[in-house]
Amino acid sequence: MKTLLTLLLVVSFSLGLAAQTLVSTNPENKKAFLEEFTGTGCPNCPAGHTLAANLLTANAGKMFVIAYHPANSSYTSSDPMARAYASAFYSTPFVSAASRFMPSAIINRRQWGGGDRIQSTSEWTSKVASIIGEASPLNVGLTSSYNESTKSLTITAEVYFTSTVTNNLTVYCMLLENGIIAQQSGGTSPYTHNHVFREAMVAQWGDPLPTPYDLGTTTPLTFTYDNSTTDYDMTKSEVVVFIRDVSNGEVISGNGAPVNESSPISVENNIQAMQEVLVHPNPATDEAMVSLTLPGAQPVTVKVSNLAGQLISSNDYGTLEAGRHILQVDRQVLQNPGLYLVSIESSNNVVVKKLVVK
């Protein structure tokens, strides 16, 4: 069972949103989403899996792979990972007016030369390079938390607009699982499947993202998934969130992270970046500290928010000298048990850490 719990819109015309903790406000390039079509009966698909893995290694943090096992293929007739949800993507005329095949992929769902979205493995490298070389009008950040006792997964995401977008947008949130041992034609035995699409927490073509999409707008999102019947291994699972342009069907950008982790907030070429940032003890009861090393003097602020994006505390420590510092987290945070996001801001750099309060 999956539910879109909350779709909240917070509008701010300043670049310093108090509740923003997950996503960079600096202009970034697009992230590439390679949605791969594969099946256990496909003898040439292991080569596609290898290429996808190599591309992920070469473009760490800049691209994500979703391995669809669509139910509408002869290659998935006895495939335990086949999903009907993926069939709409592996269909004509969506992927192509003429043909579909495996191994293949759609890269950000773009219609490339000739109008085809579907691309053979020989095109994956160049198409991914093309996408990640383009400026994005929005950034996406996310975090997730899984409660083993209730089998409930909560995903919190933020979309920040670095430019104004006029087209209608939809948002996707998907659960992927790694390390699945299953048969594979053309592969060695046992064979391990990764980035396997398991569930979508949204409708087939995404859920509408509320307007406006103005420069400086941050949209917080919350999704939940009930794992009590499916019992996916959350220690081997990941979550991806991405934004689709309704006018052309293309994926603009997005992000991803393993379950119980946050996507990194990237700051490129920042020589004043913080190093060795730790939040301890974690879990905390009566006190929590932030330890960090500064390569040079710079202002530091520590903010704590809950998973709904509500700011719990904000402490401005002024300009700190280079070296190691230990800062105390506001004790009011420790009054209520739960999961919190600790945002350590320094110059243009932001590091987000999770804090569990018992």
Side-chain angles (χ1 to χ4, degrees):
M1 176 182 179
K2 55 259 188 194
T3 308
L4 174 58
L5 256 191
T6 309
L7 189 56
L8 300 175
L9 177 64
V10 176
V11 180
S12 173
F13 294 99
S14 72
L15 295 181
L17 250 177
Q20 178 269 325
T21 57
L22 296 174
V23 64
S24 172
T25 57
N26 297 321
E28 295 182 349
N29 282 1
K30 295 177 179 179
K31 303 290 178 68
F33 280 79
L34 189 147
E35 296 174 272
E36 178 186 12
F37 299 119
T38 185
T40 56
C42 171
N44 295 321
C45 283
H49 303 159
T50 300
L51 175 57
N54 290 340
L55 284 170
L56 278 175
T57 300
N59 300 284
K62 298 179 181 180
M63 72 166 290
F64 301 90
V65 171
I66 303 169
Y68 293 130
H69 294 241
N72 57 340
S73 169
S74 59
Y75 288 137
T76 59
S77 58
S78 58
D79 190 332
M81 293 166 284
R83 292 291 185 273
Y85 187 90
S87 299
F89 308 136
Y90 189 63
S91 63
T92 55
F94 178 72
V95 293
S96 170
S99 62
R100 59 181 195 171
F101 51 89
M102 292 183 186
S104 62
I106 50 178
I107 297 96
N108 285 54
R109 303 188 185 178
R110 176 171 293 179
Q111 289 182 280
W112 302 89
D116 286 349
R117 289 186 173 90
I118 196 168
Q119 299 294 307
S120 63
T121 54
S122 63
E123 299 294 325
W124 292 5
T125 301
S126 62
K127 298 300 190 286
V128 166
S130 178
I131 292 293
I132 64 177
E134 299 175 5
S136 176
L138 56 87
N139 301 331
V140 178
L142 64 92
T143 190
S144 63
S145 177
Y146 182 64
N147 187 319
E148 179 62 40
S149 61
T150 62
K151 300 291 184 180
S152 177
L153 173 66
T154 302
I155 304 106
T156 303
E158 288 178 346
V159 182
Y160 180 83
F161 289 87
T162 56
S163 299
T164 296
V165 176
T166 57
N167 294 337
N168 290 332
L169 305 177
T170 61
V171 58
Y172 277 86
C173 180
M174 293 182 177
L175 176 67
L176 317 179
E177 189 174 7
N178 297 292
I180 302 172
I181 305 299
Q183 70 177 56
Q184 177 61 55
S185 177
T188 58
S189 183
Y191 191 88
T192 303
H193 296 263
N194 293 316
H195 316 294
V196 175
F197 169 79
R198 285 306 203 183
E199 304 290 342
M201 277 68 91
V202 296
Q204 185 73 61
W205 301 106
D207 287 347
L209 196 67
T211 56
Y213 310 137
D214 296 333
L215 167 66
T217 298
T218 296
T219 303
L221 307 163
T222 303
F223 307 87
T224 63
Y225 179 72
D226 182 354
N227 193 39
S228 58
T229 56
T230 48
D231 200 26
Y232 298 128
D233 187 346
M234 291 296 172
T235 66
K236 298 179 180 179
S237 296
E238 57 186 304
V239 176
V240 292
V241 174
F242 54 92
I243 307 301
R244 168 182 170 266
D245 186 329
V246 175
S247 66
N248 58 15
E250 188 169 316
V251 172
I252 298 175
S253 194
N255 220 326
V259 168
N260 286 325
E261 295 186 22
S262 302
S263 58
I265 300 177
S266 63
V267 178
E268 298 181 3
N269 303 319
N270 183 8
I271 61 173
Q272 295 295 315
M274 292 172 286
Q275 302 171 2
E276 301 175 14
V277 179
L278 300 173
V279 177
H280 58 92
N282 201 356
T285 52
D286 54 358
E287 71 171 359
M289 316 297 290
V290 173
S291 299
L292 70 154
T293 299
L294 299 177
Q298 55 194 291
V300 174
T301 300
V302 176
K303 299 177 180 179
V304 182
S305 303
N306 60 24
L307 290 183
Q310 297 171 316
L311 184 66
I312 306 300
S313 71
S314 178
N315 291 323
D316 184 351
Y317 291 93
T319 299
L320 302 179
E321 298 299 321
R324 191 69 174 167
H325 299 271
I326 298 178
L327 311 175
Q328 189 169 39
V329 175
D330 195 320
R331 288 185 179 275
Q332 68 171 310
V333 177
L334 306 172
Q335 296 176 1
N336 297 304
L339 178 63
Y340 297 89
L341 299 175
V342 181
S343 174
I344 305 98
E345 302 179 5
S346 172
S347 297
N348 293 322
N349 189 52
V350 179
V351 174
V352 178
K353 296 288 186 178
K354 287 185 178 180
L355 172 64
V356 176
V357 176
K358 288 190 173 181

